[in-house]
Amino acid sequence: MRYLKAYIKHWKEGICYMKFGYFDDANKEYVITSPRTPYPWINYLGTQDFFSLISNTAGGYSFYKDARLRRITRYRYNNVPIDMGGRYFYINDNGTIWNPGWSPVKTELDEYQCRHGMGYTIITGKKNNLKAEVTFFVPQNYAGEVQQVVLTNEGSEEKTFSFFSFEEWCLWDAQDDCTNFQRNFSTGRVEVVGSTIYHKTEYRDRRDHFAFYTVNDEIDGYDTDRDSFIGLYNGFHNPQAVEAGKSNDSFADGWSPIASHYKKITLAPGETKTLVFILGYVEMPVDQKFEADGKTINKVKALEMIEKYNTPEKVAAGLEELKEHWNRLLGILNVNTPDDKVNRMVNIWNQYQCMVTFNLSRSASYFESGIGRGMGFRDSNQDVLGFVHQIPDRARERIIDIASTQFPDGGCYHQYQPLTKKGNADIGGDFSDDPLWLILSVSAYIKETGDWGILDEMVPYDNDMSIAKPMLDHLKVSFYKIVNNLGPHGLPLAMRADWNDCINLSCFSDTPGESFQTYTNPKFAAEGGYSKVAESVMVATLFTYAGPNYVAILKHLGMDAEADAAQAEIDKMKANIMESAWDGDWFLRAYDANGEKMGSKECEEGQIFIEPQGFAIMSDIGKDQGCDKKTLAAIDERLNTQHGLVLNNPAFTKYYIQYGEISTYPGGYKENAGIFTHNNAWIICAAAYAGAGDQAFKYYSEIAPAFTEETSDIHKTEPYVYGQMIGGKDAGSDIGKPGNHFGQGKNSWLTGTAAWNMVAISQYILGISADFDGLKIDPSIPAAWDGMTATRQFRGATYDIKVSNPDHINKGVKSVVVDGNAIEGNVLPAFGDGKTHSVEVVMG
Ligand code: GLC
Ligand code: GLC
C-alpha cells in the first residue's frame, strides 16, 4: 500500500476532513504520514546555543545563537515551490532518484513517515525495498546538528546505489547573504580534509568562527561548489551530480559554497549501513585560528566535536540525554484529565512550545525570517508566564535582562538584542502596555519560586549600571508610569500602541511605507509626541489586573502605606472604567484622538473588541452589576466562531486613519477581526475565573492545536503547536467570498499564544497555580468531568493531586485534604521537604 495511512479522512457533522498524521503520546511525538502537509510542518532542534529548524521534508536551516548574524546554512523564504533548501540526502538507485523525506526530488515513496519529537526529528522513506531512516537532533551542550542515516536493504537482492548528502552554506549574516551579491559571490571559501568539508568564508580576516560538515566513513567524492553539484539550470530537485551518479570533487572559490558527500554503497539483502553526519560550528581564540602555515584551519576543536558523536552508540547516548532533559522539564507538571487532547497539550506540546518560544523569542520560524526584530519587551515578559515553572533560573535571568532595558520613568525600549542584551531604539519606546507585563512576570517568578530576593537585585535602567535600582523600584516605576499618564477620562494614554501593535491612535498616517509603529504625527509634537486625548481601555484593565500583584508584594514586604496608595490608584482606575468605559454590555476599547469611542455600539464598525474584556472580568469591574456575565454573553454572541474568538466585530471594511494599522488588513486577518489566539486565552481565563467552566473549555478547545488536528486541511499549520492567528469569519470578505480562509492558521510556533494558553488551561481551567503563599487549587472545568489528577513539583516538593467533581459543577472547592488532614482554604503550603504529598480536592 502506497503511503500507509497517508491521509486520515474522517467525518464531522457530515463533512469530510483530513488529518496528515497522528499523536504518539507515549513517545511524545507527532507522526506525520504524508509529506504533502497543507503547509510545511516544522520542529526545532537545539535548546541552548545551536538551533535548527526542520520541516517534515527536512527543509530548514541552522544558526548559532543569532538567526541573523550567525546563520550557518542558507534558506530562502517565500520560495517557489515552498520550503526549498535544507539538509538533503539523495539516493540514486539505478536511475531512480529519491530523498528519504520525499522533497526536493518528490519521487513518490513506497513509505514515508516523519516523527517530530522533543528536540529531534526522525524522517523515514522507503523506495524499491531500500529504507532510509534519518534521525536529526542537536545534542545537549553541543554546537552542532547530528544526522544519523540508517540504510537497510529490505529486498531479496543485493543493491548498489549512490548516496549523497547536501548542505548549502550561508555566508554568516543572513541579511547580507540575501542582498549583497556584488561582494558575496567572490568571498566563499572551503577546505576539504578526508570526509570533512569546512566552510571558512571570512575566517582569514575578521571572523573567529567556521563550520564543518562531516561523515564518519570514507567517501568516494564530494562537491563544495553549488553550480558544479546542482548545475546552473537545474534545481534542488534534479542536481546534475546526483543524476550522473557521482560527484565532481569540486572546490568552491567564491560563488556559493556547499557541502556534499558522495558514497557508493552496496547492501546485501537484509543488510543495514549506518552513517553519522555532523554539521558543526566552531569558534576559535584569535591567536589559535590557524596551523603553523598561517592558512590552514586549526581543527583541534572541530575534531573533538566530531569525536563526540562519530558512532551510532554515541549518537544513541546523546539522544537519550536529550530525552532525559525533556522528560525532566515536562515532568514538573503532569495532568490526567478525561480528555486526551488536553493531556497531550498540557503534558507535552504546549509546554514544549513555551520552551521553544522562550529560546527563540520571535526570531526564527517559517514566518519569522530570523533577520527581523530583536526580542520584545512585552513578548518576553509574557513568555515567562508560560515556562517559569520549568526553568525558574533562566526566567530570573531573562526578567533581569528585560528590566535592564527600562527607563527610570518606567517606560521601556520596546525591543532589545539577544546578543548584546541592550535595548534598541529601532521602533522606539512608548508602548503603553509594556511596563505592566514586567509586574506580571516578576510576580509569576516569585509565586513559583518564593524567591523574594529578586526584588533586591540591583537592575540597571537603560542598561546603565550607574543608575541601577533594586527590582522593586522597577515595579514601582512600571506601576506609576500608568498612573502618571492618564487622559481626560482618567484612563491610560494609548501612546504609540498598547498590546495591539496595530491600534495606533496618534499616527494618522497617509503615506505609503511609513511604519505605523514608528511614525507619530507632528501635530502631537507639542504634546510630547502622542495625543493626550487618546486613551486605552485595554491598558486600564491590564492595570487593574496586574496592579494587585504589586500591592500584594508591598504588603508582603510590610510597606503598608505604599500598598494602600497603590490600591487606591487601582480602585480609582476601576471607578473610571465603570464611569467612562462601560458600554452597557461590554467594555469599550479606547477613546481615539478625537475623543470618540472605539469599540462601542455607537460605532459603525469595530463595535466590540476582545482585549479589554478578559482583564476587566478578572478585575471584578462592575461585577456587582453583572458586568462579567453580560460581557461573557456578548463575547459569545459577537466574537465566537467554531475556530475561535475574533479580535473585533464587525471587521473594518475601510481605512480609519484615526485607528492606524488595524484597518489596513482585509477583514478576518491579523488584528482586523482575525482570530488572534493570544488574546483568546484572556477570555478563556476570564470565563474560568467567572465560574463559566464550560464556556472556558469551549473556547479553549476551539483553538488548541490538538483539537484543530481533526480539521488539518482547513487549519493548515501544525496540529501540535499554536499559531499567532487563525483566519476569522470575515476572512475573504474583501474579495466577495466570505469564509474563504476562515479557520486557516498562520504564523505558527513563536507566539505569546503558547504562554497564555498554558496559563489558561493549567492555572485557570485545571486550576493549579503558584501563588505567593503556596500552590493554589481552584479548578473551573467542564461540568461533565468527574475530576482529574495531577502531579506538580513546586518549591522543592511534589504534590500528587486528585480532584473529584461528584456534583458535576464547573467551579468551587468544598474540601482539601493534604496527607490525610483537612486544611482551611485551597492554598497548599510550600513544604519544600523534597517529599511527595497527597492532596485530595473535592469540588462542591
Ligand atoms: C564596487 C563598489 C564601487 C567600487 C568598486 C571597486 O563596485 O560599488 O563603489 O568602486 O566595488 O572597489
Ligand atoms: C504580535 C506582537 C505582539 C503584539 C501582537 C498584537 O504578536 O509580537 O507584541 O502584542 O502582535 O499586535
Side-chain angles (χ1 to χ4, degrees):
M1 189 180 13
R2 189 167 270 190
Y3 289 173
L4 194 68
K5 287 195 285 183
Y7 306 96
I8 303 169
K9 290 189 187 160
H10 69 113
W11 281 260
K12 203 176 160 189
E13 287 152 7
I15 304 170
C16 175
Y17 293 105
M18 294 209 232
K19 299 206 295 184
F20 297 81
Y22 58 92
F23 286 94
D24 177 347
D25 295 338
N27 286 309
K28 302 191 176 76
E29 292 171 343
Y30 191 78
V31 186
I32 300 167
T33 50
S34 163
R36 291 182 179 85
T37 44
Y39 207 74
W41 285 0
I42 74 163
N43 194 13
Y44 285 86
L45 315 178
T47 61
Q48 293 146 320
D49 296 328
F50 188 103
F51 294 98
S52 297
L53 285 70
I54 182 166
S55 71
N56 58 307
T57 56
Y61 60 93
S62 303
F63 62 92
Y64 182 76
K65 282 190 183 169
D66 187 313
R68 171 171 168 186
L69 298 175
R70 292 287 185 283
R71 184 80 62 99
I72 296 166
T73 53
R74 183 174 284 161
Y75 191 75
R76 294 168 186 80
Y77 276 86
N78 203 5
N79 211 340
V80 179
I82 198 167
D83 193 25
M84 277 299 112
R87 64 293 272 163
Y88 292 135
F89 294 104
Y90 293 91
I91 292 165
N92 183 340
D93 179 3
N94 288 304
T96 303
I97 297 175
W98 58 283
N99 309 106
W102 179 65
S103 188
V105 176
K106 295 185 187 139
T107 295
E108 291 303 324
L109 302 177
D110 298 333
E111 280 178 27
Y112 161 90
Q113 190 187 67
C114 168
R115 291 181 167 264
H116 282 321
M118 304 288 106
Y120 66 89
T121 288
I122 305 172
I123 296 177
T124 310
K126 189 173 156 185
K127 183 76 187 171
N128 298 342
N129 292 322
L130 179 61
K131 186 167 151 189
E133 181 194 272
V134 193
T135 302
F136 304 87
F137 72 108
V138 173
Q140 291 296 94
N141 308 307
Y142 193 71
E145 178 183 309
V146 173
Q147 307 161 351
Q148 175 171 274
V149 183
V150 181
L151 297 157
T152 308
N153 179 358
E154 294 192 338
S156 52
E157 278 161 35
E158 186 182 270
K159 251 186 192 301
T160 298
F161 55 93
S162 307
F163 187 81
F164 300 84
S165 68
F166 174 82
E167 298 264 13
E168 183 177 7
W169 303 114
C170 178
L171 305 184
W172 303 115
D173 179 335
Q175 165 86 20
D176 187 73
D177 184 68
C178 62
T179 45
N180 191 11
F181 304 109
Q182 63 84 23
R183 168 173 163 82
N184 294 342
F185 285 165
S186 298
T187 58
R189 281 204 183 97
V190 297
E191 251 178 67
V192 182
V193 180
S195 301
T196 307
I197 297 161
Y198 295 88
H199 175 225
K200 58 171 189 178
T201 300
E202 293 188 342
Y203 187 66
R204 190 180 68 184
D205 23 283
R206 295 178 297 177
R207 293 189 181 273
D208 63 357
H209 42 272
F210 63 89
F212 65 84
Y213 192 41
T214 191
V215 59
N216 68 338
D217 204 346
E218 291 192 348
I219 53 174
D220 297 313
Y222 61 85
D223 272 303
T224 68
D225 172 59
R226 194 184 69 205
D227 290 344
S228 305
F229 178 75
I230 290 186
L232 193 55
Y233 293 101
N234 291 37
F236 291 124
H237 66 291
N238 61 351
Q240 63 188 19
V242 177
E243 289 192 332
K246 65 177 174 47
S247 55
N248 310 291
D249 296 352
S250 63
F251 203 84
D253 183 22
W255 292 110
S256 290
I258 59 154
S260 172
H261 304 93
Y262 155 64
K263 193 168 174 62
K264 196 112 201 147
I265 299 173
T266 299
L267 293 179
E271 191 185 349
T272 286
K273 176 155 191 67
T274 301
L275 295 169
V276 183
F277 292 82
I278 299 173
L279 172 72
Y281 169 90
V282 180
E283 279 176 6
M284 293 299 288
V286 175
D287 57 350
Q288 295 169 35
K289 278 165 63 171
F290 301 104
E291 310 235 326
D293 66 1
K295 274 194 198 159
T296 315
I297 300 176
N298 172 354
K299 307 193 177 63
V300 175
K301 276 172 111 180
L303 295 176
E304 271 171 27
M305 274 186 76
I306 293 169
E307 186 64 29
K308 249 188 130 177
Y309 289 104
N310 59 354
T311 68
E313 293 71 30
K314 294 176 189 174
V315 169
L319 201 52
E320 200 43 46
E321 188 188 4
L322 180 69
K323 287 187 181 173
E324 275 163 22
H325 165 79
W326 281 108
N327 285 342
R328 192 175 52 73
L329 288 184
L330 301 179
I332 293 162
L333 170 66
N334 200 274
V335 302
N336 187 9
T337 76
D339 193 316
D340 285 345
K341 295 188 179 108
V342 172
N343 300 341
R344 69 174 59 115
M345 287 313 309
V346 175
N347 298 337
I348 307 170
W349 292 100
N350 198 174
Q351 295 205 64
Y352 180 59
Q353 187 180 2
C354 285
M355 273 312 297
V356 171
T357 306
F358 163 69
N359 286 330
L360 280 289
S361 186
R362 305 297 178 272
S363 69
S365 71
Y366 266 30
F367 299 88
E368 301 281 6
S369 64
I371 58 181
R373 50 195 181 159
M375 322 243 304
F377 190 97
R378 76 156 80 92
D379 294 342
S380 299
N381 273 307
Q382 290 175 83
D383 289 347
V384 167
L385 308 179
F387 82 91
V388 62
H389 63 287
Q390 295 185 329
I391 308 192
D393 290 351
R394 290 186 73 189
R396 189 183 208 273
E397 189 190 323
R398 175 67 57 88
I399 289 168
I400 291 170
D401 286 350
I402 303 169
S404 308
T405 65
Q406 191 172 32
F407 298 113
D409 76 344
C412 328
Y413 285 105
H414 194 53
Q415 296 185 350
Y416 70 102
Q417 294 311 118
L419 269 188
T420 61
K421 298 186 172 178
K422 290 225 158 72
N424 73 44
D426 288 359
I427 56 168
D430 298 327
F431 288 75
S432 50
D433 60 319
D434 272 342
L436 292 172
W437 302 113
L438 183 68
I439 296 181
L440 284 180
S441 69
V442 172
S443 309
Y445 171 78
I446 298 173
K447 288 173 183 176
E448 182 62 37
T449 58
D451 171 18
W452 292 87
I454 192 173
L455 297 170
D456 302 325
E457 198 74 43
M458 291 299 280
V459 180
Y461 284 110
D462 198 3
N463 299 105
D464 181 353
M465 205 57 202
S466 74
I467 48 171
K469 286 275 175 65
M471 180 66 95
L472 181 64
D473 196 72
H474 284 258
L475 300 190
K476 181 175 182 175
V477 295
S478 294
F479 186 89
Y480 284 98
K481 177 75 181 171
I482 309 300
V483 174
N484 295 334
N485 287 283
L486 302 179
H489 302 91
L491 302 169
L493 294 177
M495 298 197 269
R496 200 182 283 286
D498 52 25
W499 169 87
N500 191 325
D501 278 332
C502 299
I503 296 182
N504 323 103
L505 301 180
S506 292
C507 198
F508 290 83
S509 174
D510 57 7
T511 305
E514 249 163 27
S515 154
F516 288 100
Q517 278 77 49
T518 59
Y519 179 75
T520 37
N521 197 302
K523 80 178 188 184
F524 298 116
E527 299 174 48
Y530 307 102
S531 158
K532 291 262 189 267
V533 172
E535 298 169 298
S536 167
V537 179
M538 187 242 155
V539 176
T541 59
L542 182 60
F543 176 78
T544 59
Y545 173 78
N549 288 286
Y550 176 57
V551 174
I553 287 170
L554 293 172
K555 283 207 176 125
H556 176 93
L557 300 175
M559 300 166 75
D560 288 348
E562 279 211 41
D564 291 346
Q567 185 59 49
E569 296 296 345
I570 295 170
D571 294 342
K572 210 189 313 168
M573 186 73 78
K574 287 186 181 181
N576 294 346
I577 293 169
M578 270 322 281
E579 170 86 22
S580 304
W582 173 247
D583 199 48
D585 286 292
W586 58 80
F587 294 89
L588 297 181
R589 179 63 180 81
Y591 281 95
D592 68 22
N594 303 319
E596 303 283 342
K597 291 174 183 172
M598 181 183 192
S600 161
K601 279 178 197 140
E602 296 165 17
C603 301
E604 192 190 328
E605 298 182 323
Q607 295 175 335
I608 172 171
F609 281 73
I610 203 169
E611 299 103 314
Q613 318 301 340
F615 295 125
I617 292 169
M618 291 188 279
S619 305
D620 296 329
I621 297 174
K623 192 175 175 183
D624 48 354
Q625 296 157 56
C627 291
D628 56 345
K629 298 222 159 52
K630 281 187 193 161
T631 301
L632 284 172
I635 287 169
D636 206 51
E637 189 191 318
R638 312 207 31 163
L639 301 180
N640 191 40
T641 76
Q642 75 259 39
H643 298 297
L645 302 162
V646 297
L647 189 146
N648 56 296
N649 180 259
F652 296 113
T653 60
K654 51 190 182 209
Y655 181 46
Y656 292 77
I657 196 168
Q658 70 274 30
Y659 293 166
E661 185 172 355
I662 187 167
S663 54
T664 65
Y665 288 108
Y669 296 116
K670 296 279 285 179
E671 283 85 342
N672 185 13
I675 294 161
F676 221 88
T677 47
H678 182 142
N679 57 37
N680 278 219
W682 302 338
I683 304 303
I684 298 168
C685 293
Y689 175 86
D694 285 305
Q695 191 175 355
F697 192 75
K698 179 172 79 171
Y699 300 155
Y700 174 76
S701 55
E702 282 165 359
I703 59 166
F707 291 81
T708 68
E709 186 201 19
E710 298 183 6
T711 53
S712 283
D713 46 340
I714 292 173
H715 186 68
K716 272 188 183 274
T717 52
E718 296 91 337
Y720 40 90
V721 290
Y722 285 97
Q724 180 201 54
M725 77 141 202
I726 297 171
K729 56 188 171 183
D730 300 292
S733 57
D734 267 49
I735 53 166
K737 284 190 191 169
N740 202 21
H741 293 308
F742 179 33
Q744 190 177 94
K746 271 190 197 144
N747 301 6
S748 60
W749 273 101
L750 306 180
T751 159
T753 303
W756 269 106
N757 277 280
M758 187 66 206
V759 169
I761 184 68
S762 61
Q763 300 182 23
Y764 283 85
I765 294 180
L766 305 182
I768 303 171
S769 61
D771 210 337
F772 289 116
D773 304 319
L775 191 65
K776 191 166 145 197
I777 312 288
D778 194 11
S780 189
I781 54 178
W785 286 10
D786 291 329
M788 59 167 201
T789 59
T791 311
R792 175 70 150 88
Q793 291 168 23
F794 174 70
R795 296 194 207 170
T798 303
Y799 298 74
D800 249 332
I801 304 163
K802 179 167 189 273
V803 175
S804 39
N805 186 18
D807 300 337
H808 288 278
I809 58 169
N810 285 131
K811 194 178 186 192
V813 169
K814 190 159 72 183
S815 65
V816 180
V817 174
V818 181
D819 296 329
N821 305 311
I823 65 161
E824 278 291 306
N826 58 352
V827 179
L828 312 174
F831 292 107
D833 56 5
K835 294 192 181 139
T836 299
H837 299 270
S838 84
V839 180
E840 302 216 12
V841 178
V842 179
M843 294 174 66

